[in-house]
Amino acid sequence: MEQRLVSVWQPFFLASESQGAAIDAASELEELGYSRIWFSGGFGENVAPRFREILDGTTGIGVASGIVSIWHSSPPEAAAFVQDTEQAHPGRFLLGLGASHAVLVEGSGTDYRKPYSRMVDYLDGLDAAGVSPERRILAALGPRMLELSRDRSAGAHPYFVPAEHTAEARAAIGPDRLLAPEVAVVLDADATTARATARQYASGYLALPNYTNNLRRFGWTDEDFTAGGSDRLIDALIPWGSVEQVAAGLEQHYQAGADEVAIQVLNGGDATTFPADAFRALAAALQG
């Protein structure tokens, strides 16, 4: 992939109760030149209708799920949604799939066993329903899931990873698959308050073994995972500072092999407020 894409990953688009506000935000991102909007598929039984609403309310920006849980939406349900959106908006929707986390899945009453095998079966179901591998992407962290994303999807969408993981992922999936890591950022030049915002976000993910086990592969230890994350870990995972400093942190992922970086702007944990000013500033810095 030669083209460098700048995208958005923001929970606002699912969290906002206002369809109009979500479409207004999406339309502005489209005007600013962002390539794609990613947001969670939630834990409903079907793919959230908000993805289709955003597609219908914009003209060309891509929309992707980051992620639809393979434990909560069945292959036929997901396939029907992909086929419907592909007919209405060709090439604009990308189905991001993930195995989620045991504590989240079992908390909703589902037995979480053999997530890799579950993903293989899910992809088999999408194949049987006629969904092209190019219309799906996997939330891959470890080597086996990265290889699966290479062989049976458009590529990989890692979440909560340092640039070192992006380099490993590129080596694993090869040069021709899409690599689109999510990267959270804080536009705040004060080290104390910026890291506090980052820790508020990071603390929940550091309680999930999928993420901490992945980070251990790159040399991070239990000491780095306590109290919301060590300074060193926070600085490696979540670029913070001025627009220029944040842009430099994002550049590390491009240099490591990312085709597309999905930027999540942290704003103190308020998922229902869209950080428009931050995305305007980043668009100017990243896209000229």
Side-chain angles (χ1 to χ4, degrees):
M1 298 269 176
E2 295 182 357
Q3 185 179 9
R4 177 180 291 196
L5 304 176
V6 184
S7 295
V8 169
W9 201 113
Q10 209 65 21
F12 163 81
F13 288 101
L14 189 64
S16 175
E17 295 183 358
S18 170
Q19 176 183 342
I23 291 174
D24 287 346
S27 297
E28 179 169 4
L29 291 171
E30 185 172 44
E31 292 174 3
L32 288 169
Y34 287 98
S35 299
R36 198 182 333 254
I37 298 168
W38 300 76
F39 56 97
S40 170
F43 293 96
E45 292 183 358
N46 298 295
V47 181
R50 181 57 52 88
F51 292 102
R52 178 60 189 268
E53 293 167 2
I54 298 297
L55 288 166
D56 290 344
T58 53
T59 60
I61 194 168
V63 177
S65 57
I67 57 157
V68 166
S69 168
I70 61 173
W71 307 93
H72 294 87
S73 180
S74 71
E77 291 165 346
F81 188 90
V82 172
Q83 291 160 347
D84 179 63
T85 56
E86 186 64 14
Q87 183 175 12
H89 303 285
R92 289 182 60 198
F93 181 69
L94 185 60
L95 177 68
L97 297 169
S100 191
H101 305 272
V103 65
L104 301 178
V105 172
E106 291 175 351
S108 63
T110 301
D111 188 11
Y112 188 93
R113 288 189 296 175
K114 298 182 178 181
Y116 179 86
S117 297
R118 175 84 173 199
M119 181 64 80
V120 170
D121 291 344
Y122 202 100
L123 295 174
D124 289 343
L126 292 180
D127 287 345
V131 175
S132 167
E134 298 306 311
R135 299 264 49 87
R136 64 205 193 205
I137 192 167
L138 306 188
L141 292 177
R144 293 182 73 204
M145 199 66 80
L146 284 167
E147 291 175 1
L148 189 65
S149 73
R150 175 195 65 201
D151 296 338
R152 302 197 58 186
S153 81
H157 173 54
Y159 189 99
F160 198 65
V161 294
E164 290 82 0
H165 183 277
T166 298
E168 178 186 86
R170 171 53 69 201
I173 69 175
D176 299 324
R177 298 284 85 188
L178 175 66
L179 180 55
E182 173 273 349
V183 182
V185 306
V186 182
L187 285 177
D188 182 351
D190 183 279
T192 300
T193 56
R195 285 177 176 145
T197 300
R199 286 190 174 97
Q200 182 180 8
Y201 159 83
S203 59
Y205 296 106
L206 293 175
L208 298 172
N210 290 15
Y211 291 124
T212 53
N213 289 340
N214 183 57
L215 290 168
R216 285 189 179 95
R217 296 191 300 110
F218 298 92
W220 304 99
T221 69
D222 287 344
E223 291 183 0
D224 293 301
F225 305 148
T226 60
S230 66
D231 284 353
R232 193 170 67 93
L233 179 64
I234 290 297
D235 294 352
L237 287 172
I238 304 167
W240 58 266
S242 65
V243 171
E244 293 75 18
Q245 288 171 315
V246 166
L250 297 170
E251 177 66 21
Q252 293 182 21
H253 287 270
Y254 287 114
Q255 291 297 320
D259 303 298
E260 174 178 347
V261 173
I263 306 166
Q264 180 174 180
V265 172
L266 305 182
N267 52 356
D270 182 6
T272 62
T273 300
F274 184 70
D277 289 344
F279 280 115
R280 292 167 190 153
L282 288 169
L286 295 169
Q287 303 176 119

